[in-house]
Amino acid sequence: MSADSPPNGDWKERSWRPFTEKHPERKPDFHTAGGLPVEPMYQLEPKTPGAGEYPFTRGIHPSMYRGRLWTMRQYAGYSSPAETNARFRYLLEKGQTGLSVAFDLPTQIGFDSDAPEALGEVGRVGVPINTIDDLDALLEEIPLDSVSISMTINSTASILLSLLIALAKRRGIDPAKLRGTFQNDILKEFIARGTQRFPVEPSLRLVVDVIEYCQQEVPAFYPISISGYHIREAGSTAAEEIAFTLADGIAYMEACRDRGLDLVSVGRRLSFFFNSHNQLFEEVAKFRAARKMWAQICRDRFDLTDERACQLRFHSQTGGSTLQAMEPSNNVVRVTIQALAAVLGGTQSLHTNSWDEALSLPSEEAARLALRTQQIIAKESGVADCVDPLGGSPFIEELTSKLESEAQSLIDEIDQRGGMLKAISDGFIRRAIEESAYKAQLDQDSGATTPVGVTSDGEIPDAPFSVDPAVESQRKSALKEHREQRNQDLVDHHLQKIEDAAGQDTNMIPVMIEALEAGCTLGELCKTLTGVFGEFQDHG
Amino acid sequence: MARSGPIRVLLAKPGLDGHDRGIRLVLRALRDAGMEVIYTGLRTTPEQIVRAAIEEDVEAIGLSSLSGAHETHFLEVSRQLKSENATDILLFGGGIIPQQDLEPLKSAGFDHLYPPGTPLEQIVSDLKSQLRPGESE
């Protein structure tokens, strides 16, 4: 099928029927509570592309949630591997369908829990993982070959991948059976999130090492999740979120092409991660525009004709920065609207924030309510029964096309600057985001966009959750024991191999796996790498 | 003894936290209000912060933390200022700081702790009224 000419015949016959014959829908037929029939998708003009058809504006699959609901994937992690394991098992028991690991900052940046840099940070925003035994404890009694695991890890994604492979081998599980996602998106760390450890070039090399290794050995994993989420949290507009995320995507595709990787295989395993904020219609339009633009980028820039390689699959999370500390239970309503936007926009997986996240990490009860919010949308509202239900609305279509053209102008500007790596290093991207953040703050300060329930004399309640500070000393003694029990000569030998590999063109993952199996820690690997790669320095 | 001329402020992010949206907004608002502001960037240690504050002869230090490590880092900055006999420097902070943690920070010298969403004008006027009490708007 040529992508430019309108497809022939009726969408339902040409795409929906062949797809659903292979992948049956959840129910034989769908109808409203009052008994009215619900068609898979509504179209004003049957010849225009529908869901599952290039450029996928209406969704990447013909039946979308009529076939399978989105994955409900709540991000969790704090304190120690064992405590996080307990939260994971709680969420799985309550019907969550995938795991998502939050790591603490030392782990994300590459410091062990006993490093001076980790002081005060251990177990605070996520779980510390330094050794294969830590990962084993984190995933205790979790079947690695059936539960998919998403890891928010970037600078040290190569090390977490290596730990996961080492753990799979220890448990006798074929790495090819592992399913999940690594965030592994270093460019947005330089733009908006701030956990980069190495300079850009070697950081990008490690990103491609992960993609290359996964392509060969862990083919069911999504080795990168190109993230607009943090760009939006840093204050960008919706159009900037699309543009800067897709521009990062272009940079990764180019880096993979330079490595000589097959871009069809790369494209089929790319995933994206977007934010979902309060403006319901703009958010829905954003997801639709992003899907369409990425499909066009894959075809026009990278000459991909494989349809699956052009599909923008994405995870979404409700907007942390929209949560308010005053009258925090109001956040439940904000999260519901944002989750609805992500579902109406066709997300593949979703994290709903807990209402108390403006105060602290989520309490167990709030985490359950966040998950229940998704389940109510999925099972009680009926919105999952019709594909792209807002598609065709003149308002939504207009917003979709306006966001597309605004994002396209930004991508054009990035191209003119010589590409995304240049636009990041010359400060263009950060300046644009800061400008938007400043405008938004002034609007809020002027009273034009003051959130409901927020007043100058409003009270903020106590935080419902806190991490036990004892975790830091427990981690220190566990690591001390670990270092005493291992064979130090073997460790030194493997760290030397890491240093050698870092200076060469080889893929780092195999040597990292061996080093971690020999008892090397995440912090030791990173320290060795900084000796070769250098270390990122922020100058404000 | 109040100084005159532009107010000099050091802004810093101690520890590993990478959330810098808030501190960069404050940086811009203070500069727009005519202050001289130094921002030390991500991942600075309390030692580096106190040293920079003394070398740059600032009148106020603003710290930001959204990663839960505020107690460790904020209190350490306050302790080191005391040991350097530099307690005339005004301390303020911002970020996600639980209510139950406010009191120890206030008694360590943090006059203002701003939650996310605080109007920028409030931070500007707090600094002005404490450091340039005689000058009206």
Side-chain angles (χ1 to χ4, degrees):
Chain A
M1 177 179 81
S2 161
D4 286 327
S5 56
N8 291 320
D10 175 52
W11 167 80
K12 206 170 163 182
E13 290 308 317
R14 73 177 178 254
S15 281
W16 178 81
R17 198 168 302 285
F19 184 84
T20 51
E21 276 165 8
K22 271 195 271 176
H23 309 281
E25 295 191 334
R26 285 183 283 124
K27 293 191 270 188
D29 65 312
F30 289 81
H31 50 78
T32 66
L36 298 174
V38 177
E39 283 289 305
M41 187 184 76
Y42 292 83
Q43 273 184 306
L44 296 172
E45 168 49 67
K47 282 188 183 293
T48 55
E53 295 176 340
Y54 181 94
F56 310 105
T57 313
R58 304 205 63 181
I60 59 171
H61 302 302
S63 63
M64 287 301 292
Y65 310 134
R66 288 167 65 106
R68 195 171 71 81
L69 293 169
W70 61 92
T71 301
M72 298 178 192
R73 195 190 288 283
Q74 299 294 98
Y75 183 48
Y78 58 93
S79 195
S80 65
E83 278 205 53
T84 302
N85 176 265
R87 177 69 69 94
F88 282 168
R89 290 206 242 167
Y90 174 82
L91 288 165
L92 289 171
E93 188 192 305
K94 297 290 171 207
Q96 173 166 294
T97 49
L99 292 181
S100 174
V101 188
F103 295 97
D104 71 358
L105 283 168
T107 302
Q108 292 191 47
I109 300 173
F111 296 109
D112 290 334
S113 299
D114 56 357
E117 292 86 349
L119 186 71
E121 314 267 5
V122 176
R124 292 285 173 172
V125 300
V127 61
I129 299 293
N130 302 152
T131 65
I132 180 172
D133 293 334
D134 290 342
L135 193 68
D136 203 357
L138 177 75
L139 299 174
E140 194 185 334
E141 293 198 23
I142 291 178
L144 298 182
D145 47 358
S146 62
V147 173
S148 76
I149 301 169
S150 166
M151 295 196 188
T152 299
I153 197 78
N154 296 279
S155 278
T156 53
S158 53
I159 298 174
L160 266 297
L161 165 64
S162 303
L163 281 171
L164 187 64
I165 303 287
L167 179 63
K169 284 168 69 185
R170 181 189 270 188
R171 293 191 186 176
I173 291 165
D174 178 3
K177 290 207 170 127
L178 298 171
R179 291 186 309 121
T181 308
F182 293 110
Q183 196 162 80
N184 192 31
D185 169 10
I186 201 66
L187 294 178
K188 67 88 175 57
E189 300 295 323
F190 285 91
I191 298 170
R193 192 166 173 277
T195 70
Q196 63 275 37
R197 177 75 182 271
F198 314 114
V200 176
E201 289 293 324
S203 295
L204 198 54
R205 175 248 177 120
L206 291 177
V207 168
V208 181
D209 279 0
V210 169
I211 296 174
E212 182 181 44
Y213 187 87
C214 284
Q215 202 174 71
Q216 290 158 7
E217 307 291 334
V218 204
F221 237 85
Y222 291 98
I224 187 167
S225 173
I226 305 162
S227 306
Y229 183 85
H230 318 89
I231 291 171
R232 187 67 175 282
E233 286 299 288
S236 84
T237 62
E240 287 167 340
E241 183 187 354
I242 301 173
F244 299 158
T245 311
L246 300 189
D248 281 345
I250 292 168
Y252 292 124
M253 287 288 274
E254 287 170 348
C256 289
R257 186 173 58 194
D258 293 347
R259 179 74 65 95
L261 303 186
D262 169 31
L263 291 191
V264 174
S265 311
V266 172
R268 284 180 166 212
R269 302 314 292 177
L270 286 187
S271 62
F272 288 82
F273 172 23
F274 289 108
N275 212 316
S276 197
H277 272 209
N278 283 328
Q279 292 269 307
L280 181 86
F281 296 114
E282 185 179 44
E283 294 302 285
V284 174
K286 178 185 77 183
F287 301 126
R288 303 173 88 248
R291 260 196 306 271
K292 180 180 179 198
M293 292 178 75
W294 183 249
Q296 289 167 341
I297 285 166
C298 287
R299 195 193 60 179
D300 300 342
R301 284 190 194 234
F302 298 105
D303 300 319
L304 299 183
T305 50
D306 179 272
E307 294 218 336
R308 267 178 59 203
C310 299
Q311 290 172 347
L312 182 145
R313 288 161 288 273
F314 70 100
H315 173 68
S316 42
Q317 178 174 341
T318 57
S321 62
T322 69
L323 300 179
Q324 302 302 325
M326 287 176 201
E327 297 189 13
S329 54
N330 296 344
N331 292 328
V332 176
V333 183
R334 296 187 178 100
V335 167
T336 305
I337 293 169
Q338 296 164 6
L340 186 60
V343 170
L344 291 171
T347 195
Q348 274 59 59
S349 62
L350 176 61
H351 166 103
T352 32
N353 287 339
S354 298
W355 63 266
D356 52 4
E357 283 180 57
L359 306 171
S360 65
L361 289 190
S363 59
E364 188 170 89
E365 195 184 339
R368 186 186 66 212
L369 176 54
L371 174 62
R372 294 296 189 227
T373 305
Q374 293 198 39
Q375 291 168 336
I376 290 168
I377 291 172
K379 297 186 176 164
E380 298 183 19
S381 76
V383 298
D385 294 350
C386 177
V387 176
D388 189 31
L390 298 183
S393 143
F395 181 40
I396 283 289
E397 297 298 345
E398 171 83 6
L399 284 176
T400 305
S401 103
K402 284 270 161 60
L403 283 172
E404 181 188 349
S405 61
E406 202 183 327
Q408 189 57 52
S409 316
L410 287 163
I411 292 177
D412 292 344
E413 161 112 41
I414 292 165
D415 284 339
Q416 280 159 16
R417 286 172 178 271
M420 193 56 168
L421 298 182
K422 290 251 171 59
I424 292 171
S425 64
D426 73 15
F428 169 72
I429 306 293
R430 287 202 65 131
R431 278 196 305 278
I433 296 169
E434 265 178 57
E435 195 60 36
S436 300
Y438 195 60
K439 274 190 203 138
Q441 183 67 40
L442 293 183
D443 278 350
Q444 185 171 325
D445 290 358
S446 75
T449 56
T450 307
V452 171
V454 173
T455 54
S456 58
D457 55 354
E459 302 228 332
I460 297 175
D462 284 356
F465 184 87
S466 65
V467 172
D468 181 1
V471 68
E472 200 152 310
S473 57
Q474 288 159 9
R475 292 283 308 162
K476 277 183 183 165
S477 49
L479 275 169
K480 186 163 179 275
E481 198 179 326
H482 172 86
R483 291 186 217 278
E484 280 164 6
Q485 283 176 355
R486 64 190 185 173
N487 178 339
Q488 190 60 42
D489 290 342
L490 195 60
V491 165
D492 294 342
H493 166 74
H494 280 288
L495 291 178
Q496 185 59 51
K497 281 181 76 177
I498 293 281
E499 190 181 324
D500 295 344
Q504 294 160 2
D505 273 347
T506 56
N507 192 306
M508 297 287 304
I509 308 299
V511 281
M512 285 184 174
I513 295 170
E514 287 177 13
L516 294 159
E517 284 176 330
C520 296
T521 66
L522 167 130
E524 290 162 348
L525 262 57
C526 281
K527 198 167 181 195
T528 306
L529 291 177
T530 58
V532 182
F533 294 158
E535 192 147 6
F536 161 79
Q537 298 269 321
D538 189 22
H539 300 292
Chain B
M1 183 178 58
R3 287 203 250 180
S4 58
I7 295 174
R8 286 176 67 77
V9 182
L10 182 89
L11 294 179
K13 282 203 70 80
L16 303 180
D17 182 26
H19 293 96
D20 60 358
R21 174 179 179 170
I23 200 162
R24 285 176 172 274
L25 288 174
V26 173
L27 168 68
R28 181 154 172 184
L30 299 186
R31 279 186 182 155
D32 284 357
M35 300 184 200
E36 292 174 355
V37 192
I38 301 126
Y39 170 49
T40 57
L42 298 180
R43 287 182 224 163
T44 39
T45 62
E47 298 80 47
Q48 290 168 329
I49 292 165
V50 169
R51 196 182 331 123
I54 291 168
E55 279 171 11
E56 297 284 351
D57 190 26
V58 300
E59 297 157 79
I61 300 175
L63 303 179
S64 152
S65 169
L66 290 86
S67 73
H70 47 271
E71 239 178 330
T72 308
H73 302 312
F74 286 19
L75 294 179
E76 184 59 25
V77 168
S78 151
R79 264 193 297 273
Q80 296 202 14
L81 278 180
K82 282 195 186 89
S83 67
E84 297 287 337
N85 288 321
T87 47
D88 55 324
I89 298 178
L90 182 80
L91 279 174
F92 65 103
I96 298 190
I97 298 167
Q99 292 298 294
Q100 52 266 51
D101 294 354
L102 294 181
E103 214 36 62
L105 291 171
K106 286 195 170 154
S107 40
F110 284 82
D111 291 350
H112 296 284
L113 292 158
Y114 301 106
T118 303
L120 296 169
E121 184 49 44
Q122 189 187 329
I123 303 173
V124 170
S125 72
D126 286 347
L127 283 175
K128 281 186 176 170
S129 66
Q130 280 191 265
L131 294 167
R132 298 288 182 278
E135 298 170 23
S136 56
E137 290 285 311

